[in-house]
Amino acid sequence: MELKKDSNAVSIDMLLIVHSEKRRAAQGAHSERQADPGAPPQRRGGLQGVGNGIRRWQKFEGNDVHGSLAEKQNPQQTQVITSYDNQGTQLTVEVHPRDAMPQLLKKFSLAKRLQGDKNGNTRPRQPGAKDAHAYPWDRSSLKSMPLDLRQFEKLDSYASQVTVKSGLDELVSDLLQEAHSDLERVRVIWIWICHHIEYDVEAAQEKDRQAFKPTDILRTQKTNCDGYAGLFERMCRIAGVQCMTVPGYSKGFGYQTGQSFSGEFDHAWNAVYLEGRWHLVDSTWGSGLVDSATSKFTFLYNEFYFLTHPALFIEDHFPDNKNWQLLKPPQSLKQFENNMYHKSEFYNKGMLSAHPETSVIKTVNGKATITIESCAPTLFMFMLNGKQEHGLLSLRKNGMKLDIYPPTVGTHKLQIFAKGNSDIYSSVLEYTLKCNYVDIGVQLPAELHQPVGPSWFSEQMGIVKPSHPDPIIHTSDGRCSVSFGVDEGISVLASLHGDEGPITEETGRRYIFQLHREKRAELKVQLPQAGKFALKIFVKKRLEPGNYVFVFSYLLCCTNTKVNWPMFPESFGNWGQDNELLEPLSGVLPANRNVPFKLKLHGIAKALVKGQDTWPLTLNREGYWEGSCSTAGCQEIYVMVLENANHNFYSYILKYKVNSQ
């Protein structure tokens, strides 16, 4: 608009921002919530595991003038008037010299989107059909374009070591020294931001604040999510790459499973134009995490959010404009709220899918079942209400199955963790379980460690061809025998655990008697009473120091209330792994009886049984040592062996107790 045509002619640029009725209502409600000290805290988004990243999108990098005129008498100088009414409408008027560049466009983010790129384009095109990816995810790749991350190793190392010398332009220039394509230009900018810019937790939690200027971000090397997104966009444009900032909702810190989203957007990320298509990045979530307990930020690079496949990005990012989903068909806000949220580690650890696909599960007859499919064999664990109890987790070659039995009616939190190729378990899924019925008959032992049943992992640890491939073993008389092949050089240890009865940590192994026959181990188990018991299996390499390592558990179930088996005899260190005990198997012998003994012992010269007197055992044709002894006047009975015929020193190998008269 021209005011007059003379040497002091000026132009007026106007920027009108009008919030929708829905947004104004939401903002009004937000203000009321902030004013009410008794209201529940508002959900925070932004960084994963961190507070809110964006409170007011429409911010200038200069000083805001709320309802007042920045008076300037000289018409050659720029005048800016910014006004707000009580309905949330913002009107900004700029008066500047006719031939001057509008300052308003320099300050407002829209100006950056109007700046030309290296090809002379003045406005990035809006996303269209050619940018859309099919939904749901086709499992082809975690990325929206073919990438070999190994090609970035040298580039990433270079970018992470570049330091700020002066301003933003020089920083971008330094980064581009090793970048020779738009993809590499975007990559070096992404890597630099993710490794140098810290999430500003305090600023993110402020109720009202000014936007972060790029110069301030470089100086403090701190910002919030809109600062991350703004800096990324600015650096891309300096590098000649089309980039947009995308505001929206996120399932970040404070997100509650199944919650709804309304009001102000809580996060911001970017879209970059590469090889003829738009792609999505989130440098905030790529940089690290904030510990919710300490509110401390930790740099922890996350590759997942670089050029993420849109069908995966939509799981925790919902843009203000559905076109920026880059999906066909696009998802509604309701779908975004209801869809299962797979954390980035779900895909980083090689997971493909999970069932059920809803985040809230209702138990059926007191039970819920979750299955996960993975690209490769993976170790899993779970926690129900913070404890590794009330579930049966069995490993599969490509995934796992979990049967969960909540101990009480009501709402429960279920977390599932996966190990992947690292040594650390990471949370990959969270479910909310709603239980309206508890099956009293299903009470699992607290010591039932996971996983249950043999699997690819037990094979990897040296246990093969098990007699019982299923994790649950039912016994009617309270006895069972479990066997499996054992790789050369592997030692096996087993223990029995129950929540009731005489079993303690010390006696847990006495209800199991271990035998070895031709590279197979056999575990004879006798239960002290009816109930459910955990039979835990451990292994270690014989020639290596260290402790036994837990491999898996069996769940033993017996409903026969008449069961009352005693412990097996106590064995000592000289009891060889290849020895075999046929009788007596009970560790408690009757008083005043003649008791027969039959054992297979390897590499010994003599064997005897010692009580009140001594009874020698003789070697028969089948290779068994046989004999008998009297328990009269005895409290304990020992089996002893002489390993070398030239020596007179006998070693204890078994110990029995004798019932009192």
Side-chain angles (χ1 to χ4, degrees), residues 22-37:
K22 177 180 178 181
R23 178 63 51 78
R24 291 203 302 268
Q27 289 175 334
H30 172 68
S31 299
E32 292 174 4
R33 287 196 299 270
Q34 293 293 335
D36 181 6

Side-chain angles (χ1 to χ4, degrees), residues 244-494:
M244 297 284 281
T245 296
V246 182
Y249 296 122
S250 69
K251 294 180 179 178
F253 175 68
Y255 168 71
Q256 299 294 322
T257 301
Q259 76 172 59
S260 59
F261 292 82
S262 62
E264 296 181 2
F265 297 122
D266 63 7
H267 194 40
W269 55 93
N270 296 99
V272 290
Y273 195 72
L274 296 171
E275 299 184 8
R277 297 180 81 176
W278 285 104
H279 303 268
L280 302 170
V281 299
D282 187 341
S283 55
T284 310
W285 288 10
S287 63
L289 297 171
V290 169
D291 187 328
S292 59
T294 62
S295 295
K296 299 295 184 181
F297 174 85
T298 300
F299 279 106
L300 185 63
Y301 177 71
N302 193 343
E303 174 64 36
F304 180 77
Y305 292 104
F306 179 73
L307 307 184
T308 315
H309 194 293
L312 304 180
F313 203 77
I314 192 63
E315 292 200 21
D316 46 20
H317 292 73
F318 188 84
D320 65 335
N321 184 333
K322 68 178 181 180
N323 292 335
W324 286 115
Q325 294 181 25
L326 307 183
L327 289 177
K328 182 180 181 180
Q331 300 294 288
S332 67
L333 180 58
K334 193 67 176 177
Q335 288 173 306
F336 174 72
E337 294 170 344
N338 294 336
N339 284 349
M340 184 64 203
Y341 169 39
H342 305 94
K343 298 183 179 183
S344 62
E345 284 299 286
F346 181 88
Y347 298 106
N348 286 339
K349 299 287 188 181
M351 309 299 106
L352 295 173
S353 65
H355 185 82
E357 296 180 347
T358 56
S359 55
V360 180
I361 307 174
K362 293 183 179 180
T363 60
V364 178
N365 296 325
K367 170 185 172 182
T369 299
I370 294 92
T371 59
I372 293 180
E373 182 183 358
S374 59
C375 295
T378 303
L379 290 174
F380 294 88
M381 61 172 282
F382 74 91
M383 296 186 76
L384 183 67
N385 302 325
K387 296 182 178 180
Q388 298 181 54
E389 298 179 358
H390 310 295
L392 299 172
L393 188 154
S394 54
L395 299 176
R396 297 175 172 179
K397 187 175 181 180
N398 293 100
M400 72 89 173
K401 177 186 177 184
L402 171 62
D403 291 327
I404 203 80
Y405 303 88
T408 60
V409 297
T411 301
H412 303 266
K413 180 180 180 181
L414 174 64
Q415 297 169 283
I416 298 177
F417 304 81
K419 196 171 185 180
N421 294 325
S422 69
D423 293 330
I424 301 174
Y425 281 92
S426 300
S427 176
V428 295
L429 280 180
E430 287 188 10
Y431 285 97
T432 297
L433 301 185
K434 293 188 175 181
C435 179
N436 56 12
Y437 168 79
V438 175
D439 187 349
I440 301 178
V442 181
Q443 293 184 352
L444 303 177
E447 285 290 324
L448 185 68
H449 291 178
Q450 312 296 324
V452 292
S455 66
W456 62 266
F457 178 64
S458 54
E459 289 187 6
Q460 181 177 296
M461 298 299 288
I463 295 178
V464 298
K465 298 179 180 179
S467 60
H468 294 69
D470 295 328
I472 302 177
I473 299 175
H474 294 274
T475 169
S476 58
D477 65 355
R479 296 184 297 180
C480 67
S481 176
V482 179
S483 65
F484 37 76
V486 180
D487 286 352
E488 188 71 28
I490 297 295
S491 295
V492 177
L493 184 68

Side-chain angles (χ1 to χ4, degrees), residues 44 136 209 226:
R44 294 173 289 175
R209 65 180 187 278
D226 49 335

Side-chain angles (χ1 to χ4, degrees), residues 14 30 64 75 77 99 105 167 180 191 201 203 268 398 420 494 510 594 603:
M14 302 177 65
H30 172 68
D64 289 336
Q77 292 180 308
D99 298 327
L105 294 184
H180 307 294
I191 288 293
V201 181
N398 293 100
R510 295 284 306 281
N594 282 325

Side-chain angles (χ1 to χ4, degrees), residues 175 417 507:
L175 288 171
F417 304 81
T507 63

